[in-house]
Amino acid sequence: MAWIRTLGIAAAFMLAGAAASAAETGASDWGTGESGKVRLISAATTPGETGQLRLGLQFKLEPGWKIYWRTPGDAGYPPKLDWGGSDNLANPQTHWPAPHRFVLSGLQNYGYVGEVILPLDAKAPDAARPVAAHLVVDFLACSQICVPQKVELRLDLSPGPAQPTAFAHDIGRFAALVPGDGRRHGLTLDSAQAMGGGDGSVLRLSVSSQAPFDTPDAFVEAEDVAAFGQPRISLSDGGRRAVFEIPISPGSLQKPLAGAPMSVTVTDGLRAFETTMVPVAVAAAAIDTSPGLGAMLLVALLGGLILNLMPCVLPVLSIKVLGVLGHGGGERAHVRASFIASATGIIASFLALAILAIGLRQAGAAVGWGIQFQQPVFLALMVVVLALFAANLWGVFEIPMPAFLFSRGGGTAHHTVLGHFLSGAFATLLATPCSAPFLGTAIGFALARGPWEIVSIFSALGLGMAAPFLAVAVWPDAALKMPKPGRWMIGVRKALGLALAGTGLWLLSVLMVQAGVLAALITGGAMAGAVGILALRHLLPSAARPAVGACVVALAGLALAAPFHGTAEGNPQGQVSGGAVNWEPFDPMTLARLISDGKVVFVDVTADWCITCKVNKAAVIERGEVAKRLSSPGVVALRADWTKPDEGISRYLASFGRYGIPFNAVYGPSAPDGIALPELPGEADILAAMDKAR
């Protein structure tokens, strides 16, 4: 028949076209089938001098057909590649572009349609020899029916100078679709939480983006844990924050989600990233009750105000006390201006912290309250500054300060507006190890949202901490009624210097944990030498004064440089600490195991630089009935040491919406998601939570 002859001629032309295309440099013959065709291509004509090869497995599928991603979903299997029989080709590595989701009759499948190229990285061990790539591809293609297919592909590359082929751009185009760590696209996984149990388990992911989301999706890979369904997605912060609530497929749960390592790929159009994670348990009721920004601003104001009364802020009170005492018998206008300047320094410091937090988040780094105290160089700098402040208050030296800081002589602190501004900023810096009631809640709200909320909340925190200064600015008579400065202030200065010196020694002990004993000894010894030289400089001739200054600067530099060369010898995460309670090291998987074993678990997140944590430990946790209960059978105490940066602990805190410490939580058979305790828990709070968790 004529139409059969016509089809035969057309088929002959198609085969001829395929054969012609197969002759292209850097490509194998096409392997054809019902679903389309596939071939092996190369981005370069030869291995070149390095022997590095960028190949691609190119699928061109007919309309309506699809193939599967490395994790296919509820059905199917991914392409399987067998390189047996290849010569001078080593370790081909397959990269997978971000997949698409297909839903059919309730089944979730992940894969590709149309054209897709799987980028392949390989190496020719001997770049001077030809490469003979032999690849057998076993894949499943599905439309209305699924058809297993197998093709055999061969690609030969001769040695010599490498030149790009016609396929280099296509391979690069699909390589750009392979998910990275998210930084290039401004995508960050903020938290991973496990809610519920059994077939009601839900994985909750919070993802932030520099640009608004368009069509977000998330694909979870956890073969030995569970299979996951289609996520429910909610957007906030102008579309820059996406929350994925991903249910498990009924009957697929093999172990609790909390504490189980898994990976996730988040896509949004052409943007994508992938990362590994360990979800932490969180109460479902705590998820959807987030208050609005207005209410949180009030919480932040109160938290900043209470921050003035926290234990780790008390050593800094010497700066504030001197500021007040220096105004006795002064002028009303100067008092008002100086206290406004101090308040401005506090608020400006909080704004700087907000900008730093935004920058760290966008860079994909962990963000938390007081995390600068995890850095040894910062600790060394604080030790230097505190040592010099304390020595100055003790009268060891009086260094004439620049005129732009001090308008009058005599050593009285902070006579200019700039001086008061800097005192407020310094007080804020030393206050950041503290968490206070309401402060942790406000910071957690801010850091879980966008830049606008971060700036707003941190501004309110600064305003709250600055409130006492603003109150004196409104009623300056409170400062003017103080006794006039005189000889009596010498004793006050020595006592306040002792408080600053104690703070410096405390930070030196933290430095010993982080950078090692040697680094701490060098820092402390260098500063002691600098203070000693300053104390004895009056015995030297005036011509030697420049040399004294040079020695002091050199010793201060040595103190700051010591942490760079130190080796941490402190208490590592994982070492059981002693005391009234037998603490075990915190680990999310250990926590999940203990909960599944029916234990009551008390988690304490602490750090050597957190004075409030130490107060809680001494006053409540490791004494009396609480210590007795924590040491009883069936109860396990876990301690998470955040003295040094620890991404796992950061993620754990973020799962509760917390970004600062102290933090405590209680788990048990009746509270598998954990009961978060207040920043300053009382004995009754802890015992009640443990009774509720049983």
Side-chain angles (χ1 to χ4, degrees), residues 614-641:
K614 296 182 180 297
V615 171
N616 285 350
K617 175 182 172 182
V620 179
I621 297 174
E622 292 202 340
R623 61 174 295 177
E625 185 62 28
V626 173
K628 187 184 301 182
R629 185 79 67 89
L630 291 178
S631 302
S632 63
V635 178
V636 180
L638 300 182
R639 172 154 290 167
D641 189 351

Short mmCIF file of all heavy atoms in Angstrom, two decimals, residues 614-641:
data_model
loop_
_atom_site.label_atom_id
_atom_site.label_comp_id
_atom_site.label_asym_id
_atom_site.label_seq_id
_atom_site.Cartn_x
_atom_site.Cartn_y
_atom_site.Cartn_z
N LYS A 614 25.41 29.04 84.38
CA LYS A 614 26.07 28.60 85.60
C LYS A 614 25.24 28.92 86.84
O LYS A 614 25.21 28.15 87.80
CB LYS A 614 27.45 29.26 85.69
CG LYS A 614 28.40 28.84 84.56
CD LYS A 614 29.76 29.48 84.71
CE LYS A 614 30.70 29.07 83.58
NZ LYS A 614 30.97 27.61 83.59
N VAL A 615 24.55 30.06 86.81
CA VAL A 615 23.66 30.40 87.93
C VAL A 615 22.52 29.40 88.03
O VAL A 615 22.17 28.92 89.12
CB VAL A 615 23.13 31.84 87.76
CG1 VAL A 615 22.04 32.12 88.79
CG2 VAL A 615 24.26 32.84 87.92
N ASN A 616 21.92 29.05 86.88
CA ASN A 616 20.85 28.06 86.89
C ASN A 616 21.34 26.73 87.45
O ASN A 616 20.65 26.06 88.22
CB ASN A 616 20.33 27.83 85.47
CG ASN A 616 19.46 28.97 84.98
OD1 ASN A 616 19.09 29.86 85.73
ND2 ASN A 616 19.15 28.96 83.69
N LYS A 617 22.54 26.33 87.03
CA LYS A 617 23.10 25.06 87.47
C LYS A 617 23.31 25.05 88.99
O LYS A 617 22.94 24.09 89.68
CB LYS A 617 24.42 24.82 86.74
CG LYS A 617 25.18 23.59 87.19
CD LYS A 617 26.51 23.48 86.43
CE LYS A 617 27.39 22.37 86.99
NZ LYS A 617 28.69 22.28 86.28
N ALA A 618 23.92 26.14 89.51
CA ALA A 618 24.24 26.18 90.93
C ALA A 618 23.00 26.39 91.80
O ALA A 618 22.92 25.84 92.90
CB ALA A 618 25.26 27.30 91.20
N ALA A 619 22.05 27.16 91.30
CA ALA A 619 20.91 27.53 92.13
C ALA A 619 19.76 26.53 92.07
O ALA A 619 19.01 26.40 93.04
CB ALA A 619 20.39 28.92 91.72
N VAL A 620 19.62 25.81 90.94
CA VAL A 620 18.43 24.97 90.78
C VAL A 620 18.76 23.57 90.31
O VAL A 620 18.38 22.58 90.93
CB VAL A 620 17.43 25.64 89.80
CG1 VAL A 620 16.20 24.76 89.61
CG2 VAL A 620 17.04 27.02 90.27
N ILE A 621 19.48 23.46 89.18
CA ILE A 621 19.57 22.17 88.48
C ILE A 621 20.38 21.14 89.25
O ILE A 621 20.01 19.96 89.33
CB ILE A 621 20.14 22.38 87.07
CG1 ILE A 621 19.20 23.26 86.24
CG2 ILE A 621 20.37 21.05 86.37
CD1 ILE A 621 19.75 23.64 84.87
N GLU A 622 21.51 21.54 89.83
CA GLU A 622 22.39 20.58 90.48
C GLU A 622 22.33 20.68 92.01
O GLU A 622 23.34 20.53 92.69
CB GLU A 622 23.83 20.76 89.98
CG GLU A 622 24.00 20.36 88.52
CD GLU A 622 25.43 20.02 88.17
OE1 GLU A 622 26.32 20.46 88.93
OE2 GLU A 622 25.67 19.34 87.17
N ARG A 623 21.15 20.89 92.51
CA ARG A 623 20.99 20.91 93.96
C ARG A 623 19.57 20.47 94.32
O ARG A 623 18.66 20.50 93.49
CB ARG A 623 21.27 22.30 94.53
CG ARG A 623 20.35 23.39 94.02
CD ARG A 623 20.59 24.69 94.73
NE ARG A 623 20.25 24.58 96.15
CZ ARG A 623 20.42 25.55 97.04
NH1 ARG A 623 20.96 26.70 96.66
NH2 ARG A 623 20.07 25.39 98.30
N GLY A 624 19.40 20.06 95.55
CA GLY A 624 18.08 19.77 96.08
C GLY A 624 17.35 18.65 95.37
O GLY A 624 17.94 17.68 94.88
N GLU A 625 16.04 18.79 95.29
CA GLU A 625 15.17 17.77 94.74
C GLU A 625 15.41 17.55 93.25
O GLU A 625 15.27 16.43 92.75
CB GLU A 625 13.71 18.14 94.98
CG GLU A 625 12.72 17.08 94.55
CD GLU A 625 12.88 15.78 95.32
OE1 GLU A 625 13.34 15.81 96.48
OE2 GLU A 625 12.54 14.72 94.73
N VAL A 626 15.79 18.61 92.52
CA VAL A 626 16.03 18.46 91.08
C VAL A 626 17.21 17.54 90.83
O VAL A 626 17.15 16.62 90.01
CB VAL A 626 16.26 19.83 90.42
CG1 VAL A 626 16.66 19.65 88.95
CG2 VAL A 626 15.01 20.68 90.51
N ALA A 627 18.33 17.77 91.54
CA ALA A 627 19.50 16.91 91.37
C ALA A 627 19.19 15.47 91.75
O ALA A 627 19.64 14.52 91.09
CB ALA A 627 20.66 17.45 92.20
N LYS A 628 18.40 15.29 92.82
CA LYS A 628 18.03 13.94 93.25
C LYS A 628 17.20 13.25 92.17
O LYS A 628 17.41 12.07 91.85
CB LYS A 628 17.25 14.02 94.56
CG LYS A 628 16.96 12.66 95.18
CD LYS A 628 16.11 12.81 96.43
CE LYS A 628 16.81 13.68 97.47
NZ LYS A 628 16.00 13.78 98.71
N ARG A 629 16.26 14.00 91.57
CA ARG A 629 15.40 13.42 90.53
C ARG A 629 16.21 13.09 89.28
O ARG A 629 15.98 12.06 88.65
CB ARG A 629 14.28 14.40 90.20
CG ARG A 629 13.25 13.85 89.22
CD ARG A 629 12.25 12.93 89.89
NE ARG A 629 11.42 13.67 90.82
CZ ARG A 629 10.28 14.27 90.49
NH1 ARG A 629 9.85 14.22 89.24
NH2 ARG A 629 9.56 14.91 91.40
N LEU A 630 17.16 13.95 88.91
CA LEU A 630 17.96 13.71 87.71
C LEU A 630 18.89 12.51 87.87
O LEU A 630 19.37 11.97 86.88
CB LEU A 630 18.78 14.96 87.36
CG LEU A 630 18.00 16.17 86.88
CD1 LEU A 630 18.93 17.35 86.61
CD2 LEU A 630 17.21 15.85 85.62
N SER A 631 19.16 12.13 89.11
CA SER A 631 20.04 10.98 89.36
C SER A 631 19.26 9.71 89.65
O SER A 631 19.86 8.67 89.95
CB SER A 631 20.96 11.29 90.55
OG SER A 631 21.74 12.44 90.29
N SER A 632 17.94 9.75 89.55
CA SER A 632 17.11 8.60 89.88
C SER A 632 17.00 7.65 88.68
O SER A 632 17.22 8.05 87.54
CB SER A 632 15.72 9.06 90.31
OG SER A 632 15.07 9.74 89.24
N PRO A 633 16.66 6.37 88.91
CA PRO A 633 16.52 5.41 87.80
C PRO A 633 15.42 5.86 86.82
O PRO A 633 14.40 6.42 87.21
CB PRO A 633 16.13 4.11 88.51
CG PRO A 633 16.62 4.28 89.91
CD PRO A 633 16.48 5.74 90.23
N GLY A 634 15.66 5.59 85.55
CA GLY A 634 14.68 5.94 84.52
C GLY A 634 14.78 7.36 84.03
O GLY A 634 14.01 7.77 83.15
N VAL A 635 15.72 8.15 84.59
CA VAL A 635 15.90 9.55 84.19
C VAL A 635 17.32 9.71 83.67
O VAL A 635 18.28 9.24 84.30
CB VAL A 635 15.65 10.52 85.36
CG1 VAL A 635 15.88 11.96 84.92
CG2 VAL A 635 14.22 10.35 85.89
N VAL A 636 17.46 10.36 82.53
CA VAL A 636 18.77 10.59 81.92
C VAL A 636 18.96 12.09 81.71
O VAL A 636 18.07 12.77 81.20
CB VAL A 636 18.91 9.86 80.57
CG1 VAL A 636 20.29 10.11 79.96
CG2 VAL A 636 18.67 8.37 80.74
N ALA A 637 20.12 12.60 82.14
CA ALA A 637 20.45 14.02 81.96
C ALA A 637 21.45 14.15 80.83
O ALA A 637 22.53 13.55 80.86
CB ALA A 637 21.02 14.59 83.26
N LEU A 638 21.11 14.92 79.80
CA LEU A 638 21.98 15.16 78.66
C LEU A 638 22.44 16.61 78.67
O LEU A 638 21.62 17.52 78.84
CB LEU A 638 21.25 14.88 77.34
CG LEU A 638 20.72 13.46 77.12
CD1 LEU A 638 20.06 13.36 75.75
CD2 LEU A 638 21.84 12.44 77.24
N ARG A 639 23.73 16.81 78.49
CA ARG A 639 24.27 18.17 78.46
C ARG A 639 24.84 18.46 77.07
O ARG A 639 25.69 17.73 76.56
CB ARG A 639 25.37 18.35 79.50
CG ARG A 639 26.12 19.67 79.40
CD ARG A 639 26.69 20.08 80.73
NE ARG A 639 25.64 20.47 81.66
CZ ARG A 639 25.83 20.63 82.98
NH1 ARG A 639 27.02 20.43 83.50
NH2 ARG A 639 24.83 21.00 83.75
N ALA A 640 24.35 19.54 76.46
CA ALA A 640 24.83 20.00 75.16
C ALA A 640 25.74 21.20 75.39
O ALA A 640 25.27 22.27 75.78
CB ALA A 640 23.65 20.38 74.26
N ASP A 641 27.03 21.02 75.16
CA ASP A 641 28.02 22.07 75.42
C ASP A 641 28.19 22.93 74.16
O ASP A 641 28.74 22.48 73.16
CB ASP A 641 29.35 21.43 75.81
CG ASP A 641 30.36 22.46 76.29
OD1 ASP A 641 30.08 23.67 76.15
OD2 ASP A 641 31.42 22.07 76.80
#
